[in-house]
Amino acid sequence: MCEQCGTRAAEWDEQHGGDRFAYVTTTVRCVGCELIATEQQTVPEGPDGYGVRIGLVPRRAWEEQQASR
């Protein structure tokens, strides 16, 4: 199974009962992924950016965390 798309080679191989056109592509925009990609652009390159990961936190939890500081 392909780690990236999740299909199996036989699904595409007509000699193994597959179909070259077994799947079609779709395009989906995820607002969460968009926010992460935008924020990722602010992470410095090199040592200052090593190990930095961008994630999402529900706004209510973030606001509660900020209020308790």
Side-chain angles (χ1 to χ4, degrees), residues 24-35 37:
V24 295
T25 59
T26 62
T27 302
V28 177
R29 178 179 298 270
C30 173
V31 177
C33 290
E34 182 178 358
L35 289 171

Side-chain angles (χ1 to χ4, degrees), residues 30-53:
C30 173
V31 177
C33 290
E34 182 178 358
L35 289 171
I36 289 171
T38 300
E39 188 67 22
Q40 190 68 43
Q41 293 176 1
T42 68
V43 176
E45 291 189 28
D48 288 343
Y50 292 175
V52 175
R53 291 187 309 144

